[in-house]
Amino acid sequence: MNRQALDLSTEYVAPRDPVEQQLAELWTARLEVAPIGVHDDFFELGGDSLLAAELQLAIDQLFGVEVPTWTLFLTPTVAELAATIVAELASA
């Protein structure tokens, strides 16, 4: 689905670094929405708790860090989630 078909509250901002790009690709694959902007809300794009769990597993496998389940609920944008992943990678 094209993001223009959704009534999103944010303007599209392209991924700005490799972590954001990889997250946007993960979201696109699971949500079937493109393009995904870094400030788009996972749940506004059609995400739900089941997809969040799948995404968490994919993030753990892709980046090699365990992101707590609640993270996506508190940081539901690519930009916020990328910052959390970068912080986890730095502390590992």
Side-chain angles (χ1 to χ4, degrees):
M1 173 183 297
N2 191 303
R3 80 185 304 277
Q4 281 81 15
L6 300 171
D7 186 24
L8 301 177
S9 63
T10 56
E11 294 292 322
Y12 176 75
V13 175
R16 302 162 291 193
D17 61 46
V19 175
E20 289 181 350
Q21 181 62 44
Q22 289 175 309
L23 284 175
E25 289 170 6
L26 284 176
W27 288 27
T28 295
R30 279 159 182 78
L31 296 169
E32 299 178 355
V33 174
I36 301 285
V38 297
H39 301 299
D40 293 340
D41 185 289
F42 177 77
F43 300 100
E44 193 174 332
L45 292 168
D48 57 26
S49 58
L50 181 59
L51 283 174
E54 290 177 17
L55 190 60
Q56 177 195 6
L57 181 59
I59 288 168
D60 291 351
Q61 292 173 344
L62 180 63
F63 294 102
V65 295
E66 280 194 41
V67 176
T69 305
W70 50 264
T71 303
L72 189 57
F73 293 93
L74 296 178
T75 58
T77 69
V78 167
E80 293 169 322
L81 190 54
T84 300
I85 290 168
V86 168
E88 289 290 326
L89 288 169
S91 68

